[in-house]
């Protein structure tokens, strides 16, 4: 029986291209979604062998979607398929427990081989992002070397900032004190190289974190 794949990407041409590539190689593309919320519902309903997820979606980031899927389904393989090659995005995605980070400019045969390897239980990173991944691994061993990396909590706070939430609101939702949130927000500013909430949200959007 062919492995079952769900594609979450808001570009129809990407959906069509992946369908052609994967079905020509004997895989079964069982569903498509153009938003994160649709993708989550589809993945929960169909329980595919693999979900291919873009980082930039209209209603949430692919990072948030991967985190939501992983919290409820430890067996579903997840792979990011994106045009973004940013170390902060790579770091945040790896923390969600994905099995692959693939770039959309990969030749079709290479992309299929990478997907085939993920389905076979291997972890696959596009060679272009391997250096970022290695730095993230080192940062987990040595917190000082990873001082500029954003973690999932930072991304969640950025998401709430983008919604216009105050530090007090964010603290209540994440069960943190207002002062703790303030410290974290200031640290996010430093890591992103910005000086305000607006700049932080704009930079996070530019990097595909939101």
């Amino acid at each position: 029986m062919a492995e079952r794949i769900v594609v979450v990407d808001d570009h129809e041409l990407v959906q069509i291209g992946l369908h052609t590539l994967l079905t020509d190689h004997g895989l079964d593309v069982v569903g498509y979604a153009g938003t994160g919320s649709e993708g989550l519902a589809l993945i929960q309903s169909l329980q595919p062998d693999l979900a291919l997820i873009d980082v930039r979606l209209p209603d949430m980031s692919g990072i948030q979607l991967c985190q939501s899927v992983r919290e409820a389904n430890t067996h579903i393989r997840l792979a990011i398929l994106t045009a973004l090659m940013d170390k902060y995005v790579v770091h945040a995605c790896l923390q969600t427990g994905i099995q692959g980070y693939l770039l959309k400019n990969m030749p079709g045969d290479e992309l299929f081989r990478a997907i085939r390897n993920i389905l076979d239980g291997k972890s696959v990173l596009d060679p272009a992002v391997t250096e970022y991944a290695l730095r993230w691994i080192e940062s987990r061993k040595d917190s000082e070397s990873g001082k500029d990396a954003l973690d999932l909590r930072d991304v969640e706070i950025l998401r709430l900032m983008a919604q216009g939430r105050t530090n007090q609101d964010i603290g209540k939702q994440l069960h943190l004190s207002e002062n703790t949130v303030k410290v974290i927000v200031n640290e996010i500013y430093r890591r992103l190289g910005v000086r305000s909430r607006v700049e932080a949200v704009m930079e996070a959007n530019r990097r595909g974190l939101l």
Side-chain angles (χ1 to χ4, degrees):
M1 183 176 177
E3 287 96 336
R4 302 163 69 249
I5 297 175
V6 163
V7 175
V8 185
D9 194 296
D10 62 335
H11 291 91
E12 185 178 1
L13 287 178
V14 173
Q15 294 179 2
I16 294 171
L18 285 172
H19 179 273
T20 300
L21 173 68
L22 299 177
T23 55
D24 282 354
H25 285 83
L27 300 178
D28 188 8
V29 182
V30 294
Y32 305 91
T35 68
S37 57
E38 290 173 355
L40 181 59
L42 195 64
I43 292 167
Q44 299 287 38
S45 172
L46 297 178
Q47 295 288 299
D49 297 292
L50 170 65
L52 294 172
I53 299 170
D54 192 9
V55 169
R56 285 180 169 160
L57 298 169
D59 55 341
M60 67 174 73
S61 72
I63 299 166
Q64 293 169 259
L65 176 55
C66 287
Q67 186 179 9
S68 297
V69 173
R70 183 58 69 229
E71 287 172 354
N73 303 275
T74 57
H75 65 284
I76 295 176
R77 295 180 180 89
L78 302 174
I80 291 293
L81 180 59
T82 181
L84 284 172
M85 190 177 67
D86 182 283
K87 67 180 180 180
Y88 296 99
V89 175
V90 175
H91 294 168
C93 287
L94 288 173
Q95 290 179 76
T96 68
I98 60 171
Q99 280 71 49
Y101 193 103
L102 311 174
L103 296 179
K104 289 181 177 178
N105 62 1
M106 294 178 72
D109 287 345
E110 290 183 19
L111 178 58
F112 171 72
R113 283 196 296 271
I115 292 171
R116 180 68 266 172
N117 283 331
I118 293 170
L119 287 167
D120 289 340
K122 300 174 183 178
S123 294
V124 180
L125 297 174
D126 188 288
V129 303
T130 300
E131 182 179 355
Y132 296 154
L134 291 174
R135 288 179 181 175
W136 177 75
I137 292 170
E138 287 302 316
S139 76
R140 289 169 65 88
K141 298 177 181 177
D142 181 354
S143 59
E144 183 61 25
S145 69
K147 62 185 179 180
D148 291 328
L150 296 178
D151 58 27
L152 286 175
R153 182 184 61 178
D154 297 332
V155 174
E156 178 67 8
I157 288 176
L158 278 164
R159 184 180 68 82
L160 294 171
M161 289 166 60
Q163 296 174 4
R165 304 288 188 88
T166 65
N167 288 347
Q168 185 178 31
D169 292 336
I170 294 171
K172 288 180 179 178
Q173 180 156 340
L174 301 182
H175 306 291
L176 300 170
S177 72
E178 185 176 354
N179 285 336
T180 296
V181 174
K182 183 177 181 180
V183 170
I184 295 172
V185 168
N186 286 332
E187 182 63 13
I188 290 172
Y189 290 172
R190 185 189 69 78
R191 292 175 180 178
L192 294 179
V194 300
R195 296 181 180 181
S196 70
R197 296 172 86 88
V198 172
E199 289 179 355
V201 170
M202 290 177 63
E203 180 64 12
N205 268 312
R206 186 188 71 79
R207 296 183 182 190
L209 292 170
L210 300 178

